[in-house]
Amino acid sequence: NSSAASDVYKRQDRIISYRIIPLIDLLEFSKLYTKITKKRVSRKTIAFLTYPHGEQDQFGLAQTVLPFLDKIRKESSKFFVEYKINKE
């Protein structure tokens, strides 16, 4: 189905353009940093570190990128649960 393939390519493009993999790393590091120092890393800082050329600001991060990341995480966890069930 070309529509499904097109959706996959669009999603891949968004994963790359939103820099989802580096963002996940940075968010995990931020959690660790917060736990150790008791100081929170701001969305502004996360946006700057993830998008140093200004591709997204803290509002774009909060309104566009993070909801997309949540959606990807939910779909991924559903995939792994289904894989585990099918494997057993």
Side-chain angles (χ1 to χ4, degrees):
N1 185 349
S2 66
S3 177
S6 175
D7 289 344
V8 169
Y9 289 122
K10 285 180 187 176
R11 182 169 297 150
Q12 286 175 344
D13 287 344
R14 286 174 70 186
I15 288 170
I16 293 166
S17 68
Y18 288 169
R19 298 182 183 166
I20 293 297
I21 304 300
L23 177 59
I24 290 170
D25 287 344
L26 186 58
L27 290 171
E28 291 302 316
F29 175 79
S30 297
K31 285 181 192 176
L32 182 61
Y33 178 83
T34 299
K35 190 177 273 192
I36 292 169
T37 66
K38 307 295 186 220
K39 295 179 182 177
R40 191 176 75 78
V41 179
S42 70
R43 281 198 181 133
K44 183 177 182 178
T45 301
I46 291 171
F48 176 75
L49 292 172
T50 308
Y51 310 104
H53 301 291
E55 300 91 333
Q56 296 281 349
D57 61 8
Q58 63 192 16
F59 303 108
L61 180 69
Q63 295 176 358
T64 306
V65 179
L66 293 177
F68 177 71
L69 175 57
D70 287 341
K71 181 179 176 184
I72 293 294
R73 283 183 167 166
K74 287 176 187 172
E75 291 173 0
S76 297
S77 63
K78 181 181 173 187
F79 169 78
F80 286 114
V81 168
E82 289 175 0
Y83 174 76
K84 185 176 179 183
I85 290 170
N86 290 335
K87 192 175 178 184
E88 294 173 351

